[in-house]
Amino acid sequence: MGFLGFIKGFSSVYRAKPRIRAYPSFCQHGHCYIQCRTFSHFKDHDDSVLPVLIVGAGPVGLVLSILLTKLGIKCSVLEKGKSFSHHPQAHFINNRSMEVFHKLDGLAEEIQRSQPPVDLWRKFVYCTSLTGPVLGSVDHMQPQDFEKVVSPVCVAHFSQYKLIRLLLKKLEDLNFLICKPEGLNDEPFRGGELLMGHECVKINATGQSVNVTASHLKEGKYTERNISCNILVGTDGAASTIRKLAGIEMRGEKDLQKLVSVHFLSRDLGQYLLNERPGMLFFIFNTEAIGVLVAHDLKQGEFVLQMPFYPPQQSLDDFSPETCKQLILKLVGQELSDIDVIDIKPWVMHAEVAEKFVSCDNRIILAGDAAHRFPPAGGFGMNTGIQDAHNLAWKIAAFVKGVAPSSILHTYETERRPIAIFNTALSVQNFRAAMAVPATLGLDPTIANSVHQTITDGIGSILPSGLQRVVLDGIFTIGRAQLSEFLLNEKNLLGSSRLAKLRRLFEEGKSLQLQFPAEDLGFRYLEGALIPDSDSVRAQVPPTGRRRDYIPSSDPGSRLPHMNVRMLSNSFSEACISTLDLLPGDKVEFLLFIAPLEKSYHLAVAALKVAEEFKVSVKVCILWPTDTVKGAETRSKTALAPWENYIDVAEAKKSSNSFSWWSMCQMTDKGAILVRPDEHIAWRAKSSIDDDPVLEMKRVFSAILKVNI
Ligand SMILES: Cc1cc2nc3c(=O)[nH]c(=O)nc-3n(C[C@H](O)[C@H](O)[C@H](O)COP(=O)(O)OP(=O)(O)OC[C@H]3O[C@@H](n4cnc5c(N)ncnc54)[C@H](O)[C@@H]3O)c2cc1C
């Protein structure tokens, strides 16, 4: 069924549970009375106020709406577009985003099944034309990338618009309604609606809620509609209206480069490249044109060509479909009869991060490109946004469910803003690494940019605009002459020295990389909803733009290391799951890892007791070494009674010399690790707790959830 080809009547997807009040309640196991807290000050009995409104149905807004819906939080989404763009845009999904998708009812596996085979996209190819000489080719996959040692899933190459389709399907499976503007009546939103053709134009934060005005076209006239929500999340992209309306400034470098993106189809070109030189990115340098071709799908012949754009001397009219076709042919180097130009879009590359991610008393929040925009080199834009949504969802759920005060939402900024700043610096490094290739060929893009600036703002600005254009074209033509076959060959002294330099650049990994395992899986929150170890606060290593391997770590703030484990309770199943899969995606639940030792069981009992007091769920995971699993279940049952939320698992080692769980975590089995619902480590004890474990767990949960005790 088409995503937008129908309009259903509203139906309640999730009804609000009664608000938690401060009253004595009987515990789950019937042996204690506890004082429950409430932090939600909003009126969730009031159907006219939505708990969460998301503005922008790009990948980040859609992922957030899925995560929240799975956690039982009512949310609706506004999208200004009447339909979804087919411009492929992002295509590289990194390992951590694939782990997030793995928990969205197998979305990662669906992507893996639908993406092109990895051998068709593992390389970047550098050439003077697509059918001409290859200057170099870099393979970005290493054997360990396929071994699933550090993660249960792998990176993927899948166009953004195809991802959007799968995300919409996931939302529909969760009973979300995707509505056309004309299909709406004036009923208040109940949560679970994606409203197409609705542009947020005004916001007004009052005492307890945010009033949002959305404009939509109804019977030929723009009509406004007001929506009240408790939390407003702006996932409305790089030019975010929410960011502007909330008065949040961007900080960083603007206008690094202007480009034109040409989306086109050619099955002939796809077939040729598939057979002759498959790859993901083709950097093409020839005397007539320069461009980067992104092969979104060689089998379908779907491509995007990125070319530098120099306004005001150049205008978008200079990139008509016919001109683009001619430029494509120059870059291909031979005739093709089936080029079909679909879309031509200019865009500007920035390296900026919002000064705040959370404002208006924690009620207005920015995520994705609305909060950060950086060069696409290295593919961190959408991935960083997806991971913003993952960090945010459980915190919103904890607040809406009354488990944590609104200050938990502020930890989203404390944790994610430094990551955005780091990824911006990394993307700028990557952009520079990409520019090192043309610079080695004698075509330094920084020189081209300064020439352009001198003509636009400096001495050249006195020239009439037509003449400025002629001068610019002339200088660029002279520049591109460096790429002529006459110069760029092994027999020419200058050419051979440039080619040798280029080879060194590729061999030393100094050209643009595709994978960054250390940053992709190894990013770490230093403060926020966690308790840092006094001995683990290390300075961030500045980004290098080079591939560095991920080293598993149990330092608080790190992602939980992956290891395959075998569930002991299910004696019929020999199936292994990842430690990351032990956390559910549909519940705000913490996970406490312990070894089967007496003191650790005491700590686990204290954690279960305290968690109940804090109205939060904790599951205990008892990790047994592979060789001592006999009697595991009886031992844990007796030690943890009357609590039942625990799981016994055994390490499923790949080989006898692989690291054990505790040594991989650089700890001993006397310690314990507490993991948050987003699979980041909240707290760890490196050795057994000798003081009162209940007091310790109270300290831990109050610090993580920002609850005063
Ligand atoms: C050429 C290129 C290649 C890229 N490659 C990669 C890659 O390989 N990997 C990667 O991770 N990233 C990549 N990126 C970046 C990636 O495309 C973006 O980071 C990503 O689209 C951001 O997602 P988002 O949901 O935050 O915003 P967007 O995708 O911009 O979505 C925002 C949505 O909000 C809607 N909207 C805007 N204003 C309003 C309003 N006022 N009211 C209602 N709705 C509104 C818009 O219509 C849009 O649908 C690339 C970008 C470019 C340009």
Side-chain angles (χ1 to χ4, degrees), residues 344-607:
I344 301 160
K345 265 188 177 181
W347 63 281
V348 186
M349 200 189 281
H350 305 282
E352 292 184 306
V353 177
E355 54 172 356
K356 284 193 246 168
F357 282 20
V358 176
S359 73
C360 280
D361 219 6
N362 304 322
R363 273 170 300 136
I364 299 180
I365 301 172
L366 302 177
D369 275 18
H372 40 73
R373 42 193 196 184
F374 26 82
F380 275 91
M382 178 181 75
N383 287 304
T384 306
I386 286 164
Q387 292 152 33
D388 290 345
H390 194 231
N391 180 288
L392 186 57
W394 75 272
K395 293 175 181 174
I396 292 182
F399 170 60
V400 172
K401 285 172 187 266
V403 169
S406 72
S407 49
I408 187 98
L409 298 174
H410 204 270
T411 67
Y412 160 71
E413 174 177 308
T414 319
E415 293 178 1
R416 292 301 302 169
R417 197 166 172 274
I419 301 295
I421 292 172
F422 183 90
N423 286 352
T424 309
L426 176 60
S427 304
V428 171
Q429 286 277 5
N430 295 342
F431 174 59
R432 294 207 177 110
M435 293 302 115
V437 172
T440 306
L441 294 173
L443 274 178
D444 193 336
T446 51
I447 297 175
N449 287 344
S450 350
V451 167
H452 177 236
Q453 197 148 9
T454 312
I455 293 175
T456 310
D457 304 321
I459 191 156
S461 61
I462 52 167
L463 298 173
S465 58
L467 205 52
Q468 284 184 22
R469 165 83 190 249
V470 172
V471 172
L472 195 71
D473 282 352
I475 293 174
F476 287 171
T477 308
I478 296 169
R480 287 196 303 269
Q482 312 277 327
L483 304 167
S484 71
E485 274 178 40
F486 167 73
L487 201 75
L488 202 60
N489 69 66
E490 294 294 355
K491 290 189 187 126
N492 180 294
L493 207 58
L494 183 61
S496 71
S497 123
R498 283 179 176 168
L499 290 170
K501 256 195 198 166
L502 202 59
R503 278 194 295 275
R504 269 203 306 281
L505 199 79
F506 295 140
E507 279 158 19
E508 291 170 5
K510 289 183 179 166
S511 59
L512 175 64
Q513 299 298 298
L514 176 66
Q515 293 214 62
F516 298 88
E519 289 80 10
D520 173 349
L521 296 176
F523 70 88
R524 176 179 165 217
Y525 305 132
L526 295 179
E527 52 175 337
L530 54 92
I531 304 179
D533 274 3
S534 48
D535 61 344
S536 72
V537 184
R538 286 189 294 269
Q540 283 267 36
V541 181
T544 60
R546 310 250 194 119
R547 181 180 168 130
R548 292 185 296 135
D549 282 334
Y550 158 75
I551 299 165
S553 163
S554 64
D555 286 349
S558 312
R559 154 198 168 273
L560 175 72
H562 151 78
M563 175 182 261
N564 279 328
V565 292
R566 193 161 47 85
M567 283 197 283
L568 299 181
S569 50
N570 190 350
S571 48
F572 298 108
S573 167
E574 280 296 302
C576 290
I577 60 165
S578 165
T579 41
L580 296 159
D581 292 334
L582 294 167
L583 288 128
D586 54 1
K587 202 171 171 191
V588 178
E589 183 167 78
F590 286 76
L591 184 68
L592 181 70
F593 278 94
I594 58 163
L597 303 174
E598 200 177 332
K599 276 195 176 175
S600 302
Y601 278 124
H602 288 167
L603 179 74
V605 168

Side-chain angles (χ1 to χ4, degrees), residues 35 64 100 157 212 219 353 394 396 506 514 578 656 704:
Q35 189 72 18
L64 181 62
V100 173
H157 171 51
V212 173
E219 289 153 15
V353 177
W394 75 272
I396 292 182
F506 295 140
L514 176 66
S578 165
S656 56
I704 295 166

Side-chain angles (χ1 to χ4, degrees), residues 568 601 624 629-641 646 648:
L568 299 181
Y601 278 124
W624 296 78
V629 288
K630 224 170 159 202
E633 286 156 75
T634 327
R635 171 90 200 274
S636 296
K637 193 173 179 184
T638 317
L640 296 175
Y646 67 88
D648 285 292

Side-chain angles (χ1 to χ4, degrees), residues 116-367:
V118 68
D119 283 345
L120 298 189
W121 53 265
R122 56 193 289 166
K123 287 183 182 166
F124 292 175
V125 179
Y126 298 81
C127 51
T128 54
S129 76
L130 289 173
T131 50
V134 171
L135 301 169
S137 144
V138 182
D139 186 348
H140 293 282
M141 299 303 279
Q142 296 183 1
Q144 67 264 35
D145 298 331
F146 301 100
E147 287 165 4
K148 298 195 178 171
V149 171
V150 294
S151 174
V153 285
C154 302
V155 300
H157 171 51
F158 195 58
S159 309
Q160 188 167 327
Y161 77 94
K162 294 181 184 169
L163 173 65
I164 295 269
R165 272 190 208 156
L166 293 187
L167 292 171
L168 288 170
K169 177 79 179 60
K170 288 279 166 225
L171 269 182
E172 285 189 327
D173 292 346
L174 291 167
N175 289 335
F176 234 78
L177 302 177
I178 297 158
C179 313
K180 284 185 174 176
E182 59 273 24
L184 295 174
N185 52 30
D186 290 329
E187 263 190 74
F189 300 132
R190 295 175 171 206
E193 302 98 2
L194 193 173
L195 308 179
M196 299 302 295
H198 277 64
E199 179 172 6
C200 168
V201 289
K202 228 185 285 168
I203 55 174
N204 180 21
T206 61
Q208 290 184 9
S209 56
V210 184
N211 296 320
V212 173
T213 306
S215 161
H216 66 279
L217 203 56
K218 197 172 181 183
E219 289 153 15
K221 272 203 285 189
Y222 277 100
T223 312
E224 290 195 342
R225 183 179 182 128
N226 293 316
I227 307 143
S228 279
C229 61
N230 294 115
I231 299 170
L232 171 67
V233 188
T235 53
D236 50 344
S240 171
T241 304
I242 303 297
R243 190 182 65 226
K244 286 174 200 150
L245 293 174
I248 300 173
E249 298 284 332
M250 293 300 268
R251 301 259 179 264
E253 255 184 286
K254 271 194 191 8
D255 254 351
L256 288 178
Q257 179 91 60
K258 292 190 177 67
L259 293 118
V260 169
S261 196
V262 184
H263 178 202
F264 71 95
L265 301 176
S266 168
R267 281 195 183 263
D268 290 351
L269 180 59
Q271 275 308 311
Y272 169 78
L273 292 174
L274 197 144
N275 294 328
E276 301 296 323
R277 49 176 82 159
M280 176 196 270
L281 298 186
F282 296 83
F283 296 81
I284 315 158
F285 306 97
N286 74 37
T287 48
E288 294 189 84
I290 285 171
V292 181
L293 185 78
V294 185
H296 278 265
D297 195 325
L298 289 179
K299 276 192 187 149
Q300 290 174 4
E302 182 164 28
F303 300 93
V304 172
L305 174 66
Q306 306 284 358
M307 288 180 293
F309 177 38
Y310 294 96
Q313 292 80 15
Q314 286 182 329
S315 80
L316 204 54
D317 294 342
D318 296 322
F319 294 89
S320 65
E322 189 45 41
T323 321
C324 288
K325 210 168 153 178
Q326 293 312 315
L327 284 165
I328 293 166
L329 290 176
K330 283 175 184 164
L331 292 168
V332 171
Q334 71 181 37
E335 238 351 277
L336 283 173
S337 57
D338 70 339
I339 295 175
D340 180 10
V341 175
I342 312 267
D343 191 11
I344 301 160
K345 265 188 177 181
W347 63 281
V348 186
M349 200 189 281
H350 305 282
E352 292 184 306
V353 177
E355 54 172 356
K356 284 193 246 168
F357 282 20
V358 176
S359 73
C360 280
D361 219 6
N362 304 322
R363 273 170 300 136
I364 299 180
I365 301 172
L366 302 177

